[in-house]
Amino acid sequence: MPTLTLVQAVNDALKTAMRNDDSVVVFGEDVGPKGGVFLATEGLTSEFGEQRCFDTPLSEDGIVGTAVGMAMNGLRPVAEIQFQDFIFPAFDQIVSEAAKLRYRSGGQYTAPMVVRTPYGGGIRGGLYHSQSGEAYFCHTPGLKVVIPSTPADAKGLLIASIEDPDPVLFLEPKALYRAVKAEVPEGHYTTPLSTLRTVRKGTDVTVFCYGAMVPVCEKAAEQAAASGTECAIVDLRTLLPLDEEGVLEAAKQTGRVVVVHEAPRFCGFGAEISALIAENAIEYMEAPIARVTGFDTPFPNTLEHHYMPDHRRVLDAIEHVAAY
Amino acid sequence: MERVLATDGTLVAEDPALSPERLRELLEHMLRVRCVDERMLKLQRAGRVGFVGTAKGLEATLIGSAAALGGRDWLWSGLREGGAALMRGLPLAEYVAQMYCNANDTAKGRQMCNHFQHKGSHYPSWSSCIGTQIPHGVGAAFATKQRGEDAVHGIYFGDGATSSNGFHSGMNFAGVWNVPAVFVCVDNGWAISVPSSAQTASESYADKGVAYGVPGTEVDGNDVLACLGAMGAAVERARAGEGPSLLVLRTYRMLGHSSSDDPSKYRDDAEVSAWAARDPIERFERFLVARGVLAEGERASLEAELLAEIDAVIHEQEAAPPMPLKTLVEDVYAEVPRHLRRQYNAFIAVAERHGEAQPGDGAFPL
Ligand SMILES: Cc1ncc(C[n+]2csc(CCOP(=O)(O)OP(=O)(O)O)c2C)c(N)n1
Ligand SMILES: [Mg+2]
């Protein structure tokens, strides 16, 4: 099995999907000859031609709006938004149009499409190249929201998203694009959406996370283990629709829960996990649920290392709920 | 296309009759832009600053046009106008502090590199989101008019930005409201890897004004005198209440989009060398030498002086105080709200335990 970085796995997924299905088209800003600013689309124009992988004018609204129309008329568009921070001109097209099309047409029209975009901090990108906006989108019925954290998942989840009958926002943790290389199966395979992944088994504390926070939580769990606390780590992978059964089962197993994300705390995805457990499994809880998150501020630049939850802050929360 | 100087520096239009001092000033401002860029790239390669997007090739565009704005006028930056800000009053020390994102930066190190601001000369920074400043400039121009003032708003943006929502709403509102604004489209041939020709099917970006009732003019952006003249006329028109104009300054981005871009993947060397032959500084230098305003070889000594000045400022900025940690939660609102004070206090307790806090970083009263 070849070993790939996460961004290479994305590239591999796009190529696999395009080879498999002629209706798959990839477009966005700088995705053509340049191959994308992170090289996620490298080599696509040369392999599949300008008809299937092409650059667009600088308009996210135009990119996503035209993707909706393509999807309504037989293509499988995979649109790239260069940074998640620049998706907001397309918010209307995602929230008002793509996500509601099936419902408002009584199922007559649908928008099977993917919007891929790198998200998250850790690259010294400041306010507008670092944000984690998943919560805005998770408040959007009709949309699916997927975030991989490993190369193999990035490929399997992206192919599954492209083949999914509904619109998917595929958020790629850019901090992990080149962080590790791991084995990725060759050829076509899918990783089912709405299924979480158990990263690590443990009996004392359950840590829920996704995207770039997964390796941070793994490091915290290793340190916790050194002092005798065994953590289970759950990578949610799909935030919407969430694997609710899986979350409840994992929470019940330890009765002590920490939720970690780099996005701001208030109305962040951690609140949903926390509410789900409080509503359905409160009698299993041995400690209050703890959240480790970014601050309720815009994303900083020089001080970003303080904003991003690190293994020390996660460990702090683990020790706190373990000792409660 | 409006042009005053041919590539060889000879006059091809009416002589704007500027004083020798003024002419030398323009050259010096252009040279400063180039020298600062050169030094910033060097610092980037040395790992001292994170990221640099230069204005190499755009010096005449920026300096010529911005030189037509007065002290009370506003310059709404779209991306690469830092050099124009220096000319209009941004202190070099603040420029370098912004590149270092250090504690001397007036934006408190919160923005990425290349996001300058200078309130004293009415120069807000761009956000990073392409095109969003365009309606801001139009709204501010509306306010100028409403308040009975006579400032003009120079609204800058690139060729790529003409595809943004902000461009279209901004132009439309400006036309309808007849505000004192000049739209300055810096057409430098590329939006990262997308050529100007793939950004629009219009023959010229100036045509886009037609749809909004805003007159558009194409100008040779590598001709500092043409840029100054065209901007001067548009500013005068706006100040006289005759409405907004669109200037398209045609130039060329000589280097990559930024220090993280490799342009050889998407453009031909031949195109780059063709534009190198039209270098805006060399063209103006030839004109000045022919005029006797500049001695042969004097440019080199001007550059040496500028580089010495820049190096001294860089040296100063290398030693900045640590960034106060409270800046993490300040300026989100006018007052730091209770929930943020609580989040900060929890954070600082951990930072103190790990010896990462400085005196003054301590907790907020709750
Ligand atoms: C809304 C938005 N989309 C995408 C980007 C990424 N991006 C930054 S600069 C740029 C190209 C800008 O081209 P242009 O307007 O011509 O300005 P230039 O870089 O040539 O000065 C792009 C696509 C962004 N910053 N904002
Ligand atoms: Mg451009």
Side-chain angles (χ1 to χ4, degrees):
Chain A
M1 233 187 280
T3 61
L4 302 180
T5 62
L6 196 147
V7 72
Q8 287 168 337
V10 167
N11 184 264
D12 187 19
L14 292 169
K15 286 180 175 158
T16 306
M18 290 175 90
R19 285 176 196 144
N20 230 30
D21 178 355
D22 284 347
S23 68
V24 176
V25 289
V26 170
F27 58 99
E29 295 156 14
D30 306 293
V31 300
K34 182 174 165 72
V37 296
F38 292 101
L39 303 183
T41 57
E42 192 168 38
L44 298 189
T45 301
S46 57
E47 179 171 345
F48 301 99
E50 284 174 8
Q51 302 296 316
R52 305 223 15 231
C53 176
F54 47 92
D55 289 331
T56 66
L58 202 170
S59 166
E60 289 73 15
D61 175 44
I63 293 167
V64 178
T66 55
V68 173
M70 291 179 200
M72 290 172 74
N73 194 21
L75 295 183
R76 285 273 165 165
V78 183
E80 176 176 305
I81 299 295
Q82 203 162 82
F83 284 82
Q84 184 251 279
D85 312 68
F86 304 136
I87 206 169
F88 298 108
F91 200 60
D92 196 23
Q93 287 293 348
I94 295 171
V95 172
S96 309
E97 306 302 324
K100 294 181 175 61
L101 187 62
R102 179 187 293 280
Y103 187 82
R104 80 165 192 240
S105 69
Q108 298 292 303
Y109 288 100
T110 60
M113 56 186 269
V114 176
V115 177
R116 296 178 37 245
T117 187
Y119 86 97
I123 62 154
R124 278 301 290 273
L127 285 84
Y128 302 103
H129 295 82
S130 309
Q131 295 174 85
S132 298
E134 64 274 14
Y136 296 117
F137 297 97
C138 287
H139 203 62
T140 304
L143 189 67
K144 297 189 176 182
V145 179
V146 176
I147 306 184
S149 75
T150 66
D153 275 358
K155 180 173 174 184
L157 290 168
L158 182 51
I159 296 175
S161 298
I162 293 170
E163 294 174 359
D164 196 85
D166 285 304
V168 178
L169 177 68
F170 194 83
L171 295 167
E172 298 166 5
K174 68 172 96 74
L176 301 186
Y177 264 161
R178 293 183 173 79
V180 286
K181 274 196 164 196
E183 290 196 338
V184 175
E186 277 176 283
H188 180 277
Y189 70 96
T190 58
T191 304
L193 306 187
S194 299
T195 60
L196 53 72
R197 177 175 72 101
T198 304
V199 180
R200 184 184 206 282
K201 290 204 162 92
T203 47
D204 300 325
V205 175
T206 307
V207 182
F208 292 99
C209 53
Y210 49 89
M213 287 296 110
V214 174
V216 170
C217 294
E218 288 185 78
K219 186 163 176 194
E222 275 161 32
Q223 296 196 353
S227 50
T229 303
E230 287 300 333
C231 296
I233 298 182
V234 173
D235 176 0
L236 296 171
R237 300 199 294 195
T238 299
L239 303 191
L240 182 67
L242 179 67
D243 179 358
E244 294 190 347
E245 297 311 311
V247 169
L248 290 172
E249 197 181 309
K252 287 175 188 171
Q253 274 169 7
T254 64
R256 298 174 195 272
V257 169
V258 175
V259 194
V260 183
H261 55 68
E262 54 182 289
R265 186 181 195 84
F266 195 85
C267 279
F269 198 73
E272 189 58 45
I273 297 292
S274 183
L276 177 71
I277 296 168
E279 285 166 358
N280 297 285
I282 192 88
E283 66 275 23
Y284 292 84
M285 291 298 109
E286 311 273 355
I289 297 166
R291 284 184 286 165
V292 183
T293 67
F295 299 122
D296 285 329
T297 71
F299 199 95
N301 180 33
T302 303
L303 297 179
E304 79 168 346
H305 56 291
H306 288 305
Y307 178 96
M308 305 266 294
D310 61 3
H311 66 278
R312 297 183 325 201
R313 273 165 71 192
V314 176
L315 183 62
D316 229 47
I318 289 170
E319 284 171 351
H320 179 79
V321 300
Y324 189 86
Chain B
M1 183 157 68
E2 291 190 10
R3 179 178 290 147
V4 176
L5 296 178
T7 311
D8 63 4
T10 54
L11 270 176
V12 291
E14 197 188 329
D15 187 345
L18 302 180
S19 71
E21 294 74 36
R22 183 72 173 139
L23 291 170
R24 285 180 63 98
E25 262 170 37
L26 289 172
L27 178 74
E28 192 181 314
H29 289 308
M30 287 164 72
L31 288 174
R32 183 175 291 104
V33 179
R34 186 156 299 180
C35 291
V36 168
D37 274 341
E38 207 180 288
R39 280 304 193 252
M40 292 306 128
L41 273 182
K42 211 169 128 187
L43 289 174
Q44 196 275 335
R45 279 187 219 109
R48 304 301 302 156
V49 308
F51 163 96
V52 182
T54 78
K56 186 163 186 199
L58 281 51
E59 294 88 351
T61 296
L62 302 182
I63 294 304
S65 62
L69 291 168
R72 64 193 182 289
D73 298 333
W74 289 57
L75 197 164
W76 294 87
S77 172
L79 208 156
R80 298 182 198 273
E81 289 73 31
L86 284 175
M87 171 175 69
R88 287 173 46 78
L90 169 68
L92 190 55
E94 288 183 20
Y95 184 108
V96 177
Q98 204 287 314
M99 292 301 291
Y100 275 86
C101 305
N102 68 18
N104 300 332
D105 169 24
T106 56
K108 306 179 189 173
R110 291 192 180 121
Q111 283 263 54
M112 251 179 122
C113 308
N114 271 102
H115 288 66
F116 312 103
Q117 62 174 357
H118 187 238
K119 197 159 187 210
S121 61
H122 312 302
Y123 183 96
S125 87
W126 62 302
S127 69
S128 279
C129 306
I130 292 291
T132 49
Q133 81 285 4
I134 302 174
H136 302 167
V138 172
F142 176 90
T144 289
K145 192 171 154 183
Q146 185 102 321
R147 287 155 40 129
E149 292 168 354
D150 75 344
V152 171
H153 295 258
I155 306 172
Y156 285 66
F157 50 89
D159 41 279
T162 61
S163 296
S164 71
N165 295 0
F167 171 78
H168 296 283
S169 1
M171 289 282 286
N172 191 37
F173 277 55
V176 172
W177 289 348
N178 199 48
V179 298
V182 182
F183 293 90
V184 184
C185 175
V186 178
D187 176 9
N188 61 9
W190 293 90
I192 310 187
S193 72
V194 179
S196 267
S197 57
Q199 197 65 242
T200 181
S202 299
E203 207 163 291
S204 158
Y205 285 104
D207 292 349
K208 291 181 184 284
V210 177
Y212 301 108
V214 174
T217 311
E218 265 200 18
V219 183
D220 183 339
N222 283 14
D223 175 349
V224 68
L225 296 181
C227 292
L228 176 64
M231 186 73 175
V235 167
E236 221 171 276
R237 195 178 112 83
R239 211 181 308 282
E242 289 163 24
S245 326
L246 167 64
L247 295 186
V248 179
L249 309 181
R250 297 203 47 195
T251 179
Y252 194 76
R253 195 196 75 207
M254 293 303 295
L255 300 179
H257 173 70
S258 73
S259 45
S260 359
D261 179 34
D262 171 14
S264 69
K265 276 190 82 174
Y266 55 80
R267 71 182 187 185
D268 269 353
D269 284 348
E271 182 183 280
V272 182
S273 10
W275 277 92
R278 293 176 229 168
D279 183 74
I281 296 183
E282 279 171 23
R283 184 187 305 194
F284 194 45
E285 185 188 2
R286 286 187 201 114
F287 170 72
L288 296 184
V289 170
R291 272 274 153 125
V293 171
L294 189 77
E296 197 90 52
E298 198 183 344
R299 171 177 167 182
S301 63
L302 288 175
E303 279 172 340
E305 272 171 46
L306 285 166
L307 289 172
E309 172 198 340
I310 296 162
D311 288 341
V313 171
I314 289 172
H315 185 70
E316 249 170 61
Q317 290 303 324
E318 280 279 326
M323 188 68 74
L325 296 180
K326 277 186 175 150
T327 60
L328 274 168
V329 295
E330 288 167 343
D331 300 321
V332 181
Y333 301 96
E335 306 266 342
V336 181
R338 198 181 161 79
H339 75 282
L340 274 185
R341 283 184 271 148
R342 207 180 300 118
Q343 286 177 19
Y344 177 82
N345 289 357
F347 151 77
I348 203 70
V350 178
E352 275 169 354
R353 221 182 318 131
H354 291 283
E356 286 173 357
Q358 305 287 326
D361 286 337
F364 284 100
L366 281 179

